[in-house]
Amino acid sequence: MTKTLQKRTLATHSKLLEAARAVISEKSFEALRVEEVVLRAGVAKGTFFSHFTDKDALMEQLISEHINAYLNDLELRKALNDVEDFVEALLPMINFMTSERYIFDLILRYSGAAAIEKVGDISMTFERHVKVVSSWLAVGPFRDDISPKLLAEGVQAFLVQAMALKFCALHNSESLEDRLLTYLKAWLTPTL
Amino acid sequence: MTKTLQKRTLATHSKLLEAARAVISEKSFEALRVEEVVLRAGVAKGTFFSHFTDKDALMEQLISEHINAYLNDLELRKALNDVEDFVEALLPMINFMTSERYIFDLILRYSGAAAIEKVGDISMTFERHVKVVSSWLAVGPFRDDISPKLLAEGVQAFLVQAMALKFCALHNSESLEDRLLTYLKAWLTPTL
DNA sequence: AGAATAAATTGACCGTGGTCAACACGAGCA
DNA sequence: TGCTCGTGTTGACCACGGTCAATTTATTCT
């Protein structure tokens, strides 16, 4: 039970996903319209909303697919020697996250500020990110007066801050990379 | 020039603001509908959009009014001795910012991720916040290997992080206050 | 096979933010 | 007083996300 008719359902579901991915690769995340997705998938509008709770849910799924791909790469990397390597490793993912303001806004909204009730896909990528970064911090030449997990949460906070400033009119003299470098050095290797 | 008919315009503008404030105090920020605001103000919908570029612009103004009131209080405070005082001082503002998810989302969206073209009201409150916090950090018993401004930017990053986690399903075992305390101690007073 | 049942799909409809060509109003001028 | 012109105002209209009672399609039972 709860698994009848699954064949047709799965087909429709993947048709919708395919259509959405097509729109995004041809245009952008921001330009995606539910209307166009259902048109391409050849289904009615209502069908979309019986497969995804809302448009954001689809977007969250598609965006976290990308993020998870970056995390897969990051997981393969061994310990990192210094902050420079750190930033260099994270840069591809950061570039994706800030490639569209729409993407960054959605990530921000669902990263931690996500629905209390249900843990979303993006929220889980943030969790995963903390784990990956923690593992690096546990063995690298970084401060050890606080736990790797706390350190990693800090890295995340500074990452978000640096990305946010990229979109800000007041602070675009310095590059995202330089800014992040400054933040992370101060956070990971304080020199009292 | 550019200032003819200003009397009528100003009257309409404040009618709109008053109506909006009334709706918010009776209901909430989230519950505000442009439709209702113009109805109460006794003007047409189009008028609203000749006074505010969009609904967010109105919200930004109203929210930053609140934030600026908190900042006025904070500016009066002299140097703070320790991290505990710090958190205690910031708490009222934090509580407002997280009193509605709608508010926090809007603040987040326009804090740094704001429009590149125009610097918005909320963006300016964040700027102001950094200044206030910097002035505290410059004289308090905190690390001095990095500039007060950089320290203050970090405080902001951790503040956002702590607030975001308040809305997160994964991390609501610890209170916002405790979490912030942990973050700020690690950031402001590292013990190598 | 046909009836009964469960589930997926449909599309007309709604709420709400936002647009814009037409219109009303007030100021300056003859 | 009446004409002109720039600006403020109007409200019908659009775009787009989301809903839901009705309908179609598959499944199970006899």
Side-chain angles (χ1 to χ4, degrees):
Chain A
M1 324 67 186
T2 69
K3 37 144 74 189
T4 44
L5 284 205
Q6 57 179 244
K7 208 116 132 246
R8 186 173 42 145
T9 308
L10 282 178
T12 306
H13 197 84
S14 56
K15 265 196 295 181
L16 284 168
L17 281 175
E18 271 323 298
R21 281 193 262 257
V23 173
I24 288 167
S25 76
E26 285 171 30
K27 306 184 177 179
S28 67
F29 280 85
E30 180 168 23
L32 184 140
R33 297 283 169 274
V34 172
E35 185 82 41
E36 189 174 355
V37 171
V38 296
L39 219 72
R40 293 206 192 196
V43 299
K45 209 170 183 181
T47 302
F48 180 94
F49 292 98
S50 74
H51 285 262
F52 302 96
T53 53
D54 54 19
K55 186 187 166 181
D56 278 1
L58 167 68
M59 292 316 229
E60 215 190 328
Q61 184 178 334
L62 293 176
I63 288 176
S64 38
E65 278 175 11
H66 282 257
I67 298 178
N68 276 314
Y70 287 110
L71 287 173
N72 290 342
D73 292 345
L74 291 179
E75 272 180 342
L76 297 178
R77 302 190 68 135
K78 296 294 165 194
L80 300 172
N81 300 347
D82 52 26
V83 176
E84 275 80 4
D85 287 358
F86 227 93
V87 172
E88 181 249 311
L90 294 174
L91 217 52
M93 191 177 76
I94 291 173
N95 283 335
F96 166 71
M97 286 177 162
T98 56
S99 61
E100 278 183 51
R101 217 192 124 184
Y102 179 86
I103 295 178
F104 182 63
D105 280 354
L106 200 133
I107 289 174
L108 222 52
R109 189 145 22 103
Y110 290 104
S111 62
I116 297 248
E117 314 81 47
K118 202 193 161 292
V119 178
D121 290 338
I122 288 181
S123 195
M124 282 180 348
T125 68
F126 268 59
E127 200 68 356
R128 223 186 131 194
H129 183 252
V130 166
K131 283 213 186 81
V132 174
V133 172
S134 291
S135 73
W136 294 345
L137 292 169
V139 296
F142 307 109
R143 65 190 281 196
D144 58 356
D145 60 324
I146 57 178
S147 72
K149 180 158 185 294
L150 183 53
L151 265 188
E153 281 181 43
V155 169
Q156 209 161 65
F158 283 115
L159 222 85
V160 168
Q161 171 102 334
M163 291 193 286
L165 290 179
K166 181 180 177 182
F167 292 103
C168 184
L170 292 172
H171 304 84
N172 40 17
S173 50
E174 209 178 355
S175 77
L176 195 163
E177 201 173 338
D178 289 342
R179 200 153 42 217
L180 190 55
L181 220 50
T182 309
Y183 285 150
L184 294 189
K185 273 182 185 161
W187 174 237
L188 299 175
T189 57
T191 55
L192 286 188
Chain B
M1 325 64 183
T2 70
K3 38 143 79 186
T4 43
L5 284 203
Q6 58 177 243
K7 207 112 135 250
R8 187 176 40 147
T9 308
L10 282 178
T12 307
H13 197 84
S14 57
K15 265 196 296 179
L16 283 168
L17 280 175
E18 271 323 298
R21 281 193 262 258
V23 172
I24 288 167
S25 77
E26 285 172 29
K27 306 185 179 179
S28 67
F29 279 86
E30 179 168 22
L32 184 140
R33 297 282 169 273
V34 172
E35 185 79 24
E36 188 174 356
V37 171
V38 297
L39 219 71
R40 293 206 193 195
V43 299
K45 208 169 181 181
T47 302
F48 180 94
F49 292 98
S50 74
H51 284 263
F52 302 96
T53 54
D54 54 20
K55 185 187 166 181
D56 278 1
L58 167 68
M59 291 316 229
E60 216 191 325
Q61 184 179 334
L62 294 176
I63 288 176
S64 39
E65 278 175 10
H66 282 256
I67 298 178
N68 276 315
Y70 288 110
L71 287 172
N72 290 342
D73 292 344
L74 292 180
E75 271 179 344
L76 297 178
R77 302 189 68 133
K78 297 293 166 195
L80 300 172
N81 300 348
D82 51 26
V83 176
E84 275 82 3
D85 286 358
F86 228 92
V87 172
E88 181 249 313
L90 293 174
L91 217 51
M93 191 177 74
I94 291 174
N95 283 336
F96 167 71
M97 287 178 161
T98 56
S99 62
E100 278 184 50
R101 221 196 118 178
Y102 178 87
I103 295 178
F104 182 63
D105 280 354
L106 200 133
I107 289 173
L108 221 51
R109 188 144 23 103
Y110 290 104
S111 62
I116 296 251
E117 315 79 48
K118 201 193 162 292
V119 178
D121 289 338
I122 288 182
S123 196
M124 282 177 353
T125 67
F126 268 59
E127 199 70 357
R128 222 185 132 196
H129 182 252
V130 166
K131 283 215 186 80
V132 175
V133 172
S134 292
S135 73
W136 293 346
L137 292 170
V139 296
F142 308 110
R143 65 190 281 196
D144 59 356
D145 59 325
I146 57 178
S147 72
K149 181 157 184 294
L150 183 54
L151 265 188
E153 282 181 43
V155 170
Q156 210 162 63
F158 284 115
L159 222 85
V160 168
Q161 171 101 335
M163 290 192 286
L165 290 180
K166 181 180 177 183
F167 292 104
C168 184
L170 293 172
H171 306 83
N172 39 17
S173 51
E174 209 178 355
S175 78
L176 195 162
E177 200 172 340
D178 289 342
R179 202 154 40 218
L180 190 54
L181 220 49
T182 309
Y183 285 150
L184 293 189
K185 273 182 184 161
W187 173 237
L188 299 176
T189 56
T191 56
L192 286 188

